[in-house]
Structures are given as C-alpha cells and as structure tokens.
Amino acid sequence: MKDCIFCKIANKEIPSEFLYENDYLFVIKDINPKAPIPLLVITKEHAANLNEINDEKLLAEILKGIKAVCEKLNIKEYKTVINTGKSAGQEVFHFHAHILAQ
C-alpha cells in the first residue's frame, strides 16, 4: 500500500535495522515500546490484520520467524501479541505481531 509505513520499511524506502529477515517477514525494534525488549514481526506482503491472512504457509512462517528471532537474540521467555482491529488496540493496519520480553 502506498501510505503504509510498514510497506515502506519492507520496501526499504524508510531505513530500519532488520534484526531478522526471511522471504516472508522481517523483525525490527518497536519504537513505541511496551516492554524492555520490544520487537515487531512484520509481514513483507501487506495484509491489514490477521483476518486478511489466508495463506497457511505464511501463518506458519510468522510463528517460525518469532521463534527464530528469539533464538537468535537468546530470548528464552516472551509474550507475543497480535492485535486485530482498532477496538483490539491495533494502531498500524499492516499485519504485525509484538514480541514482548524482559
């Protein structure tokens, strides 16, 4: 999408440090932290939220990406949060999962 900040980061129009990346997603630090270690797992392809993702391979890759970045950063305990919709707290309407760790 043209005005989506996460699409711009995915397309490298906005510079950001990727802590992890594969063909389906990338992980960056959250600039609006909710924990001492705040990460965002963001799909490269635009989908507004979890309800718009119907690809089982992509859903599996999201979980594998969460696990892989936590292993890479030696994060053993963490919470994952996926907000779907405005009333659920979603602020950026491009799928992303929060990894919250101490």
Side-chain angles (χ1 to χ4, degrees):
M1 294 197 83
K2 185 177 159 188
D3 295 324
C4 174
I5 190 164
F6 289 164
C7 286
K8 289 179 180 182
I9 293 170
N11 294 327
K12 308 222 180 349
E13 296 170 37
I14 296 175
S16 188
E17 179 186 359
F18 286 16
L19 302 174
Y20 176 83
E21 180 179 18
N22 66 25
D23 291 340
Y24 304 93
L25 56 89
F26 58 95
V27 179
I28 60 175
K29 290 182 183 175
D30 191 342
I31 62 169
N32 187 15
K34 304 283 190 254
I37 302 172
L39 306 175
L40 295 176
V41 179
I42 304 167
T43 55
K44 288 184 175 180
E45 226 177 276
H46 186 87
N49 56 46
L50 185 59
N51 290 339
E52 289 191 4
I53 299 177
N54 297 311
D55 181 349
E56 290 181 16
K57 171 80 172 156
L58 178 56
L59 292 169
E61 290 296 331
I62 291 165
L63 293 178
K64 290 190 325 190
I66 290 169
K67 185 176 176 183
V69 74
C70 288
E71 287 174 355
K72 178 182 176 185
L73 300 176
N74 200 31
I75 299 170
K76 304 270 189 231
E77 297 183 2
Y78 53 93
K79 178 190 295 189
T80 54
V81 177
I82 299 171
N83 299 318
T84 301
K86 189 173 184 174
S87 66
Q90 187 176 6
E91 295 177 14
V92 177
F93 291 88
H94 179 123
F95 176 86
H96 59 286
H98 297 262
I99 298 174
L100 308 170
Q102 298 298 315

